[in-house]
Amino acid sequence: MYTIVAGGGKVGANVARSLLRMGHEVTLVEQRPLRFERLQEEFEHQVLLGDATELHILELAGIGRPPQLVLAATGDDEDNLIICQLAREGYRVPKVVARVNDPRNQEHFDLLGIAQTVCATSNILGLVEHEVPEHGIVHLLELRKENLEIVELQIDRDSPAAGKRLAGLTLPVGARLISVMRNGRSELAESSTVLRPGDQVLAVLEPGKEDELKRLLLKR
Amino acid sequence: MKLLVIGCGRVGSAVAREFQAEGWDVVAVDEKEEALTRLGAGWSGGFVIGHGMDSEILRRAGVDEADAVVVATNGDNTNLVIGQVVRKRYGIEHVVVRVLDPARADFYAKRGMQTVSPTQTAISELAARVRVAGKALA
């Protein structure tokens, strides 16, 4: 697979290195001259000096072939968004992935149709939520393309669903329970499953259904 | 008529002043407070300090009621993203974006954006003047 990685910081350089080790072909693009010189020692001809939002730099990097994947991993969200648009719309690159540096910019990537995004801050926050024992709803995974998300909820003593069989619960439209974890063991959610305080429930749902699900499973 | 000017540098501030003089309701947005001085002592329009990528700043600047938006920060990609966002999220038809790089200006112009490239203007103008000089010598 041929990949262009825009941005040779820690993220871009590490991904490029991993792809090369996996036997893929990679061109890394870095615009800071000092950083480029250091990268050149390792990546040699596989790193290019320039601004990946300039069409002639992308063309030097081989965007016209086109690559199967462009990863926009610079430290600038606007640059990453533009790189993805240029690659996809200008050169029909089948897959583009963008790094989102500031989670507040996520909405712009979503609005402009860059569905494959990675945001370290949001991921770390998700992990923190997961580790905090007193939680309401934890977002484990967002499947942007599918417009679905996977969340975790913990049933407690005050939960209106505690002691009820799943068959007796009316789930909101656009939400399904996947599994119930109890005493460290997970079982797929069946209609015969009875929810108990302490259970950790995984659910898949459409965005915007969280509140309905919380009303059903957590305390009011 | 209401105009939003995002990026109040030399270009943005001059556009803002021109339209205010013509009686438009103008709000300028810039990250730096000092940019307000570029609008002159008699500035009676709005001024919001903040980044044009920030939805809250756009809301405070009154993006919901804007008839037209000029995006002229010092970053081409920032301008292109803000321009697309105000068009798409707020449905504003008249959005003009400054893009120094002629290649990117052309790329997005072909995709329906109104881009203005001062670099391309300078290239065309310089070439035209040289042509005139060439004819005079011939």
Side-chain angles (χ1 to χ4, degrees):
Chain A
M1 181 175 76
Y2 181 48
T3 302
I4 294 177
V5 178
K10 283 199 185 76
V11 177
N14 279 301
V15 172
R17 186 179 300 121
S18 303
L19 287 169
L20 286 166
R21 281 195 190 141
M22 287 150 82
H24 297 298
E25 192 188 351
V26 176
T27 297
L28 182 58
V29 185
E30 170 57 48
Q31 66 175 339
R32 295 164 295 180
L34 286 176
R35 179 77 192 160
F36 168 77
E37 276 175 33
R38 282 183 39 204
L39 290 169
Q40 217 179 7
E41 290 166 18
E42 178 184 350
F43 292 94
E44 299 174 346
H45 64 281
Q46 294 162 122
V47 59
L48 176 72
L49 175 66
D51 174 354
T53 68
E54 294 207 19
L55 295 173
H56 75 274
I57 296 295
L58 284 176
E59 283 179 8
L60 278 176
I63 193 92
R65 288 169 59 177
Q68 279 91 330
L69 171 69
V70 167
L71 169 65
T74 79
D76 186 297
D77 287 340
E78 292 96 300
D79 286 5
N80 290 343
L81 223 161
I82 296 297
I83 291 164
C84 287
Q85 288 188 326
L86 294 174
R88 203 175 57 183
E89 293 165 30
Y91 298 92
R92 306 194 179 284
V93 173
K95 202 160 181 67
V96 295
V97 177
R99 169 184 174 193
V100 179
N101 296 276
D102 183 337
R104 289 171 294 185
N105 288 331
Q106 182 71 54
E107 56 172 341
H108 303 319
F109 286 85
D110 296 345
L111 178 75
L112 301 179
I114 308 300
Q116 287 287 349
T117 55
V118 184
C119 178
T121 315
S122 303
N123 289 349
I124 291 169
L125 201 60
L127 291 173
V128 171
E129 279 182 328
H130 190 63
E131 295 305 321
V132 176
E134 292 288 320
H135 54 229
I137 192 162
V138 180
H139 295 86
L140 292 179
L141 187 64
E142 268 180 83
L143 304 161
R144 295 186 175 279
K145 213 166 159 189
E146 292 79 2
N147 198 36
L148 288 171
E149 57 185 20
I150 294 178
V151 301
E152 185 189 70
L153 304 103
Q154 179 154 336
I155 306 297
D156 62 21
R157 218 168 295 162
D158 304 325
S159 161
K164 286 191 183 162
R165 277 155 58 100
L166 294 191
L169 293 174
T170 311
L171 286 166
V173 176
R176 289 258 201 296
L177 301 190
I178 306 168
S179 65
V180 176
M181 174 132 116
R182 184 178 301 157
N183 304 327
R185 282 193 55 203
S186 210
E187 278 179 23
L188 290 177
E190 308 282 359
S191 54
S192 59
T193 308
V194 178
L195 292 176
R196 292 191 197 144
D199 284 355
Q200 287 180 313
V201 178
L202 282 190
V204 56
L205 70 167
E206 292 166 5
K209 298 289 179 180
E210 291 93 339
D211 287 344
E212 280 180 69
L213 194 67
K214 271 162 95 169
R215 274 199 295 278
L216 181 74
L217 296 181
L218 306 179
K219 64 182 163 191
R220 280 160 209 274
Chain B
M1 298 286 265
K2 176 159 180 167
L3 172 69
L4 210 63
V5 177
I6 299 167
C8 189
R10 268 192 289 271
V11 174
S13 62
V15 171
R17 290 170 75 156
E18 190 169 325
F19 278 84
Q20 200 204 18
E22 287 175 22
W24 285 53
D25 175 12
V26 182
V27 178
V29 178
D30 201 283
E31 275 191 294
K32 297 195 193 82
E33 196 178 349
E34 305 93 87
L36 182 58
T37 60
R38 290 205 188 89
L39 294 167
W43 180 253
S44 58
F47 184 74
V48 178
I49 303 165
H51 200 288
M53 290 280 284
D54 185 336
S55 314
E56 173 58 23
I57 295 297
L58 291 179
R59 193 191 58 76
R60 252 192 272 160
V63 68
D64 292 313
E65 302 96 55
D67 298 292
V69 180
V70 168
V71 194
T73 79
N74 58 8
D76 278 2
N77 297 330
T78 301
N79 293 346
L80 285 166
V81 173
I82 294 173
Q84 293 182 75
V85 167
V86 292
R87 255 177 58 157
K88 213 163 172 181
R89 178 161 293 135
Y90 305 99
I92 302 166
E93 201 181 328
H94 306 289
V95 179
V96 189
V97 175
R98 182 181 79 158
V99 184
L100 292 177
D101 175 19
R104 254 169 289 168
D106 183 54
F107 183 93
Y108 281 92
K110 283 187 181 138
R111 280 159 182 78
M113 290 205 73
Q114 290 195 58
T115 58
V116 171
S117 175
T119 316
Q120 186 55 53
T121 309
I123 294 166
S124 309
E125 189 70 13
L126 286 165
R129 299 289 175 93
V130 172
R131 247 175 235 122
V132 171
K135 268 182 199 156
L137 289 171

